[in-house]
Amino acid sequence: MNEHDLQLLSERVASLPAQWVAGFPLGLDDAGVLGRFFKCELRSHYRPVEVGGARLARAELDVLGPDGEPFPADKLFSLASGADGLLKLDRLCRLIHALNHFVVQGQRTPLVLPIHVRLFDYVKTAHGSTFARMLHHFDLQPANVVLELPAGLPQSTLDGYLGEGFAVRIATE
């Protein structure tokens, strides 16, 4: 990333509406965008996955605990209490992945983003609307994101994501 793009990204991160990821700060360093949750550091890595005959990047979360040692992502999500904590942590992770893929790395291929399965215990309507607004805040388009969803969700949930412009993929893992 050049200095101008880094400055623009830093300004947009600083102007991110607080209610979207309140209490869970985003930061920038030489490796890209990172987040913090419960004194843990959140970063992205990607692995290739085939979707509809295309080879795409699927985002995965790297977590370092307070001691700097690797920390299981599943355990991190168990620390998120209630709807508000889980929602904001899940959005924060997806935003970190999207910014690192599209802005920091300058990738143009779509990105596969998993959504935590517990999210659907809390969110019943307007699926994808806040995350779509978050992407637009950074001039990113939902059409470049494939959301990986658990099997068995109601069609209305899938329609909500599709209506916001996202592509969807049902998780097989």
Side-chain angles (χ1 to χ4, degrees):
M1 266 181 96
N2 66 44
E3 191 64 36
H4 176 267
D5 291 341
L6 186 60
Q7 179 63 33
L8 182 60
L9 178 58
S10 179
E11 290 169 7
R12 289 200 178 167
V13 164
S15 68
L16 190 66
Q19 69 269 22
W20 291 344
V21 291
F24 309 141
L26 282 173
L28 297 168
D29 67 11
D30 292 341
V33 178
L34 64 123
R36 300 212 181 277
F37 181 77
F38 276 101
K39 299 182 181 180
C40 292
E41 182 179 282
L42 315 177
R43 294 192 179 269
S44 303
H45 78 268
Y46 306 93
R47 69 173 175 85
V49 64
E50 189 160 319
V51 178
R55 196 157 179 87
L56 304 179
R58 181 184 185 275
E60 295 186 353
L61 188 62
D62 283 334
V63 182
L64 292 180
D67 57 1
E69 294 295 317
F71 191 86
D74 286 345
K75 187 173 179 181
L76 180 75
F77 275 90
S78 71
L79 297 174
S81 61
D84 197 51
L86 181 66
L87 272 159
K88 290 177 180 169
L89 175 59
D90 190 63
R91 283 184 198 140
L92 176 71
C93 293
R94 284 185 273 145
L95 183 60
I96 290 167
H97 298 322
L99 292 175
N100 281 323
H101 180 78
F102 295 116
V103 179
V104 175
Q105 295 179 2
Q107 298 292 320
R108 301 210 186 283
T109 58
L111 174 64
V112 178
L113 292 175
I115 295 180
H116 197 278
V117 68
R118 281 185 39 222
L119 186 78
F120 301 100
D121 293 340
Y122 301 109
V123 178
K124 302 300 181 197
T125 61
H127 291 279
S129 63
T130 299
F131 188 55
R133 288 194 313 268
M134 292 171 79
L135 291 174
H136 288 298
H137 181 80
F138 292 95
D139 294 329
L140 300 175
Q141 300 304 311
N144 293 325
V145 174
V146 179
L147 295 175
E148 189 174 77
L149 308 173
L153 293 175
Q155 187 61 45
S156 61
T157 300
L158 301 177
D159 291 344
Y161 287 118
L162 294 169
E164 291 294 337
F166 294 103
V168 297
R169 172 183 192 245
I170 305 304
T172 58
E173 303 169 356

